[in-house]
Amino acid sequence: MFRKVWTMVKRVTIRDVAREAGVSIALVSFVMNRDHRRADGSVAYRVSDETVARITEIAERLNYHPNSAASSLRSGRTRTIGVVVSDIANRFFSDIVRYIENVAYSAGYTVLCASTDEQADKLESMLSVLTNKGVDGLIIATCSGGADAVSRVVDSGLPVVLLDRDIAGLDVSRVMLDNVRAGAMGVGKLYANGYRRIELVSYDMGISSIGEREEGYRRAMREVGLQRFARIHRTTYGNVGDSVTRIVSDAVGRGVEAMIFPTNTLSLYALQAVNALGLKIPNDMAMICFDDNEVFDLYNPTIARIGQSVEMLGVRSFELLREKIECADTPSSTYIVEPQFIDGLSSAPRLTDKKHTTK
Amino acid sequence: MFRKVWTMVKRVTIRDVAREAGVSIALVSFVMNRDHRRADGSVAYRVSDETVARITEIAERLNYHPNSAASSLRSGRTRTIGVVVSDIANRFFSDIVRYIENVAYSAGYTVLCASTDEQADKLESMLSVLTNKGVDGLIIATCSGGADAVSRVVDSGLPVVLLDRDIAGLDVSRVMLDNVRAGAMGVGKLYANGYRRIELVSYDMGISSIGEREEGYRRAMREVGLQRFARIHRTTYGNVGDSVTRIVSDAVGRGVEAMIFPTNTLSLYALQAVNALGLKIPNDMAMICFDDNEVFDLYNPTIARIGQSVEMLGVRSFELLREKIECADTPSSTYIVEPQFIDGLSSAPRLTDKKHTTK
DNA sequence: CTGAAAGCGCTTACAG
DNA sequence: CTGAAAGCGCTTACAG
């Protein structure tokens, strides 16, 4: 049965090309790889133009395609990278992966995807699958409890870029949002529009982005003298729906004027809660959401949110990874994406007859 | 520089395990692959339990991980599949890819993603990249003009499953929606709720799913005696926004009572148009959308739509592919997903004082 | 500027 | 039940 398959897909090898061209397989190999070598800057180009032309012509005519397993086995490189996120069906990550894919393919790399569902054991198993596959590097959005598994991969010497979520103390490149500023930004906008009792709905998940956004919120509340109103609600990932509704309902009952939902998933549950409770936004409660989703502009009223450039997150994380892969001495670097406030009626200036004091 | 990397990631090889265990490398190989062999049913299990235990224990202790490049080179299999869709950032496809990923990983396969942006030349280049990588099989949502490139891959003997979009005349497995029925379903629901002047907004793109949904619409209109109202508008992919708004505006002006938007992308643009035009749904115009998106339930009014099980699309396409990969003689089969109507207020019974005649 | 040769780490008949 | 040996198709020093 296998023999049948074998003969069907019988590949043209480098040997066939070499024979046809009357040169050695080494020369064919050299010609086929000249682009990569040039990109690396590692090897000088040394074959005459006519030889190159003849060999490439013959390769094309014979329909030669290098066997990448053989190439990988010999060279130790696969030109494949792994991208590990919490869930590729999560719009935030699927957008990023799309940009990574774009730049990776045009750089001659191929992308293996994996989702962790925010579970450390899945992260670990994904990392082991991908490293066994021999990926040249990894872009990782870690999850709570994932630090050890990621550290082990980093220690093995494999190039890693941390995306969106940090792990302290690792010598790796990083691409993340300025989360503290993003958290503070929500407070700033709401404050400027007359809201004072501003609360935050967050996760109890131990990932840096969440923690930093909370920190930004806290600091900003302090800075405008509202620390007495500061309150952070924490929901559990995977069980968010009901608790968000409960939290929002309770908050509105207590006279909370505005709430911030610092991830796209929380934001969607927040809108669901608003609908379920029949709240008038922003009169019953103002809100600022996070990330991007088409619903924010389609909803009535439009939803103000703090966005981050998924394009930059994707493109930069690939670029930083590529540098590490193609030049082992590249020092680690960090790229910080600035949050962008996208206005919406959900945080429109507060309508009120009584004046608020700042104090 | 490379030597440095080499020593850092110096792998434990099968030879080290064999030496440590005092057996041949062949036996180690056999033990390491026993699971896959069992799944194939192709080779009988023949090593004593104690030997297996000893070897696996040693492999674990030495932290042995098989080199998959070597394994692929020798065996001709990579345990990697390629998934080609139009855009992985499109919710419909990212959902499907997520399910494929789930089942693929648990079956020991890894997933390479690629997006075509509905461009045949990108499809072709993606297919060539993925086949060069030596994927064991491909799940393909083709695009307009992609038939030739896909046919060539199929002819090469590589297992292929067509997802969501058909190409006639190919001996491959298929997983698709019952598109004709889905198109008809929209008409049926609207008709039952009193709407008569029902039009369809579609693409001018040559993919089967679109064409079949149009066909279903046309047939259903004929069957309920409304062919005189049947009208299909075609927008151009990549330039949909403005034209949808124009089409909707014009339709409402002509007294059209309901419109069907037969893809998720068209649906989102439709909602944008409705907002831009300030239409009251369903009074100014009823609407039925397609696929799933959180906005449909969050929008006011809620949006009725025709959904398809992305889980089934993903899981089945992997299963059919796997069968083909692991048993070359498996005949092609087709799995049809039934459309599901999910109700919403956007197609609520028509409020009107004048009675409509069916004729 | 070009070639001969070693070898990457496995899997797979085949022989015992 | 187990081992010796060939070889998958490349890349890479090295020699000329």
Side-chain angles (χ1 to χ4, degrees):
Chain A
M1 182 202 307
F2 259 113
R3 201 155 338 130
K4 187 174 140 204
V5 175
W6 257 111
T7 52
M8 283 176 71
V9 295
K10 180 67 181 133
R11 298 182 83 134
V12 179
T13 75
I14 199 172
R15 208 151 249 118
D16 301 318
V17 178
R19 193 184 311 116
E20 186 80 9
V23 297
S24 73
I25 61 165
L27 193 59
V28 176
S29 171
F30 197 89
V31 168
M32 299 310 291
N33 292 316
R34 67 193 189 290
D35 293 335
H36 295 166
R37 282 165 204 265
R38 252 210 288 241
D40 284 28
S42 58
V43 178
Y45 192 38
R46 59 171 203 181
V47 192
S48 73
D49 285 353
E50 42 202 333
T51 313
V52 170
R54 201 171 82 254
I55 291 177
T56 48
E57 185 271 319
I58 289 171
E60 205 156 328
R61 182 154 51 76
L62 297 185
N63 196 26
Y64 168 66
H65 295 285
N67 178 322
S68 51
S71 162
S72 298
L73 174 57
R74 189 53 237 259
S75 69
R77 280 162 284 136
T78 55
R79 293 216 143 238
T80 298
I81 64 166
V83 176
V84 182
V85 297
S86 66
D87 183 3
I88 198 169
N90 177 324
R91 168 162 208 84
F92 174 64
F93 288 116
S94 65
D95 281 347
I96 293 176
V97 169
R98 185 59 167 85
Y99 282 109
I100 293 176
E101 199 198 290
N102 277 165
V103 286
Y105 273 84
S106 53
Y109 285 83
T110 239
V111 179
L112 284 172
C113 301
S115 306
T116 67
D117 288 320
E118 305 288 1
Q119 290 166 230
D121 57 335
K122 279 201 193 175
L123 171 68
E124 185 161 1
S125 102
M126 291 301 173
L127 291 178
S128 111
V129 169
L130 295 178
T131 52
N132 285 349
K133 279 280 169 184
V135 293
D136 290 342
L138 286 165
I139 295 173
I140 305 174
T142 186
C143 64
S144 180
D148 285 353
V150 174
S151 301
R152 243 172 288 132
V153 172
V154 172
D155 289 344
S156 81
L158 194 69
V160 167
V161 171
L162 292 181
L163 170 68
D164 182 55
R165 298 143 178 221
D166 199 12
I167 297 174
L170 254 39
D171 177 23
V172 293
S173 288
R174 298 171 163 84
V175 176
M176 348 219 120
L177 179 67
D178 184 342
N179 285 299
V180 174
R181 189 160 157 241
M185 192 178 252
V187 175
K189 296 292 176 182
L190 288 166
Y191 183 84
N193 281 353
Y195 300 93
R196 295 297 175 268
R197 298 195 58 175
I198 303 165
E199 298 190 355
L200 182 80
V201 179
S202 181
Y203 283 127
D204 63 0
M205 199 166 26
I207 61 175
S208 68
S209 51
I210 296 293
E212 291 165 16
R213 290 173 198 178
E214 291 181 4
E215 176 59 23
Y217 162 80
R218 247 186 257 109
R219 271 196 221 167
M221 289 296 277
R222 210 178 308 128
E223 269 163 28
V224 294
L226 296 176
Q227 62 266 55
R228 69 186 180 287
F229 291 142
R231 183 155 168 192
I232 296 175
H233 306 269
R234 293 205 179 76
T235 63
T236 301
Y237 183 87
N239 181 26
V240 177
D242 292 346
S243 61
V244 169
T245 304
R246 219 167 30 240
I247 289 165
V248 169
S249 160
D250 169 69
V252 170
R254 286 184 292 107
V256 169
E257 299 159 5
M259 298 193 95
I260 299 172
F261 301 90
T263 77
N264 59 342
T265 307
L266 283 170
S267 300
L268 291 174
Y269 281 114
L271 290 178
Q272 212 169 280
V274 164
N275 277 2
L277 299 168
L279 300 180
K280 291 267 162 279
I281 304 296
N283 295 347
D284 293 343
M285 179 188 87
M287 61 193 292
I288 287 186
C289 290
F290 254 72
D291 298 331
D292 210 3
N293 192 299
E294 48 270 284
V295 73
F296 294 156
D297 283 326
L298 293 172
Y299 199 78
N300 183 9
T302 55
I303 302 296
R305 69 274 190 179
I306 292 163
Q308 44 186 326
S309 168
V310 285
E311 177 171 7
M312 284 300 101
L313 291 171
V315 171
R316 295 293 180 226
S317 57
F318 177 74
E319 285 173 352
L320 294 189
L321 184 62
R322 189 187 185 187
E323 285 173 12
K324 284 268 191 182
I325 290 172
E326 300 190 354
C327 181
D329 312 323
T330 310
S332 298
S333 55
T334 297
Y335 182 85
I336 299 292
V337 173
E338 290 307 320
Q340 290 170 298
F341 183 72
I342 298 161
D343 212 350
L345 297 174
S346 71
S347 65
R350 189 166 184 231
L351 296 176
T352 172
D353 29 20
K354 55 179 190 288
K355 275 266 188 260
H356 278 268
T357 57
T358 314
K359 189 63 215 309
Chain B
M1 184 202 306
F2 257 112
R3 202 158 332 134
K4 187 175 141 205
V5 174
W6 258 112
T7 52
M8 283 175 70
V9 295
K10 182 68 181 131
R11 298 181 83 133
V12 178
T13 74
I14 200 171
R15 210 152 249 119
D16 301 318
V17 178
R19 192 184 311 118
E20 186 78 9
V23 298
S24 71
I25 61 165
L27 194 59
V28 176
S29 171
F30 197 90
V31 168
M32 299 310 290
N33 292 315
R34 67 193 189 289
D35 293 336
H36 296 164
R37 283 166 202 265
R38 253 210 289 240
D40 285 27
S42 58
V43 178
Y45 192 38
R46 58 172 204 181
V47 192
S48 74
D49 285 353
E50 41 202 334
T51 312
V52 170
R54 202 172 81 254
I55 290 177
T56 48
E57 185 270 321
I58 289 173
E60 204 155 329
R61 183 155 50 76
L62 297 185
N63 196 25
Y64 168 67
H65 295 286
N67 178 322
S68 51
S71 162
S72 298
L73 174 58
R74 190 54 238 256
S75 70
R77 279 162 285 135
T78 55
R79 293 217 143 236
T80 297
I81 64 165
V83 177
V84 182
V85 298
S86 66
D87 183 3
I88 198 172
N90 177 324
R91 171 164 206 82
F92 174 64
F93 288 116
S94 65
D95 281 348
I96 293 177
V97 168
R98 184 61 167 87
Y99 282 109
I100 293 176
E101 198 198 291
N102 277 163
V103 286
Y105 273 84
S106 54
Y109 285 83
T110 239
V111 178
L112 283 173
C113 302
S115 306
T116 67
D117 288 320
E118 306 288 0
Q119 292 166 228
D121 57 335
K122 278 202 194 176
L123 171 68
E124 185 161 1
S125 102
M126 291 299 172
L127 291 179
S128 111
V129 169
L130 295 177
T131 51
N132 285 349
K133 279 279 168 184
V135 292
D136 290 343
L138 286 165
I139 295 172
I140 304 175
T142 186
C143 63
S144 179
D148 286 352
V150 174
S151 301
R152 243 172 289 133
V153 172
V154 172
D155 289 344
S156 80
L158 194 69
V160 167
V161 171
L162 293 182
L163 170 68
D164 182 55
R165 298 146 177 217
D166 199 13
I167 296 174
L170 253 40
D171 177 22
V172 294
S173 288
R174 298 170 163 84
V175 177
M176 349 219 118
L177 178 66
D178 184 341
N179 286 298
V180 173
R181 189 160 158 242
M185 192 179 253
V187 174
K189 296 293 176 180
L190 288 166
Y191 183 85
N193 281 352
Y195 300 93
R196 295 298 175 267
R197 297 193 57 175
I198 303 165
E199 299 191 354
L200 181 80
V201 179
S202 181
Y203 282 128
D204 61 1
M205 199 166 27
I207 59 175
S208 68
S209 50
I210 296 294
E212 290 165 16
R213 289 173 198 179
E214 290 181 4
E215 176 60 24
Y217 162 80
R218 244 186 259 108
R219 272 195 221 168
M221 289 296 277
R222 208 177 311 126
E223 269 163 29
V224 293
L226 295 175
Q227 63 265 55
R228 69 185 180 288
F229 291 143
R231 182 153 168 194
I232 296 175
H233 306 268
R234 292 206 181 76
T235 63
T236 302
Y237 183 85
N239 181 26
V240 178
D242 292 347
S243 64
V244 168
T245 304
R246 218 167 30 241
I247 290 165
V248 170
S249 161
D250 169 70
V252 171
R254 285 184 293 108
V256 169
E257 299 161 4
M259 297 194 95
I260 299 172
F261 301 91
T263 77
N264 58 343
T265 307
L266 282 170
S267 301
L268 291 175
Y269 281 114
L271 290 179
Q272 212 170 276
V274 164
N275 278 2
L277 299 169
L279 300 180
K280 291 266 161 280
I281 305 296
N283 294 348
D284 293 341
M285 178 189 87
M287 62 195 292
I288 287 186
C289 291
F290 254 72
D291 297 331
D292 211 2
N293 191 300
E294 48 270 282
V295 74
F296 295 156
D297 283 326
L298 293 173
Y299 198 78
N300 183 10
T302 55
I303 303 296
R305 69 273 190 180
I306 292 162
Q308 45 186 324
S309 168
V310 285
E311 177 171 6
M312 284 301 100
L313 290 172
V315 171
R316 295 293 180 228
S317 56
F318 178 75
E319 284 173 353
L320 294 189
L321 183 63
R322 189 186 185 186
E323 284 173 12
K324 284 268 191 180
I325 291 172
E326 300 188 355
C327 182
D329 313 323
T330 310
S332 298
S333 55
T334 296
Y335 183 84
I336 298 292
V337 173
E338 289 307 321
Q340 290 169 299
F341 183 72
I342 298 160
D343 212 350
L345 296 174
S346 70
S347 64
R350 188 164 186 233
L351 296 175
T352 172
D353 29 20
K354 55 181 191 283
K355 275 267 189 259
H356 278 268
T357 56
T358 313
K359 188 66 214 308

